[in-house]
């Protein structure tokens, strides 16, 4: 019957052991850079790469912190 405030927490060490501590070297396998003229071509390339089991990111320009194995530049300047 005592009145008191309390805060508690629990750490389940077995769940922490199950975490994947190994970090992949890359965020995606392939980065596709495209512009408005190459949008449909970029989608075709993306679908082909995904069917090969690769992870793909499509962007208008390369993000500064994205880590990728290869880049496919479909912009007018990149062709």
């Amino acid at each position: 019957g005592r009145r008191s405030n309390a805060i508690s927490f629990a750490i389940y060490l077995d769940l922490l052991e199950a975490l994947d501590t190994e970090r992949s070297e890359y965020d995606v396998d392939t980065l596709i850079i495209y512009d408005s003229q190459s949008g449909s071509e970029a989608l075709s390339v993306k679908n082909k790469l995904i069917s090969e089991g690769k992870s793909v990111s499509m962007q208008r320009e390369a993000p500064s912190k994205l880590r990728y194995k290869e880049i496919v530049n479909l912009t007018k300047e990149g062709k």
Side-chain angles (χ1 to χ4, degrees):
R2 296 187 337 197
R3 292 178 52 158
S4 64
N5 296 325
I7 296 176
S8 65
F9 66 94
I11 298 176
Y12 297 94
L13 296 177
D14 57 330
L15 293 177
L16 290 176
E17 290 174 356
L19 290 176
D20 183 13
T21 57
E22 200 173 303
R23 189 170 182 201
S24 175
E25 186 177 349
Y26 302 102
D27 298 320
V28 295
D29 294 319
T30 306
L31 171 62
I32 299 174
I33 304 296
Y34 71 102
D35 56 18
S36 59
Q37 287 79 32
S38 63
S40 60
E41 181 184 3
L43 285 173
S44 296
V45 171
K46 176 196 74 131
N47 291 334
K48 179 182 179 293
L49 292 169
I50 289 174
S51 72
E52 294 172 0
K54 295 182 179 181
S55 59
V56 179
S57 177
M58 289 179 51
Q59 305 288 332
R60 296 284 183 154
E61 58 186 47
S64 62
K65 295 186 180 184
L66 183 70
R67 298 170 303 145
Y68 49 88
K69 288 182 186 179
E70 66 177 335
I71 188 168
V72 176
N73 191 338
L74 300 176
T75 63
K76 184 177 180 180
E77 297 82 30
K79 288 186 176 184

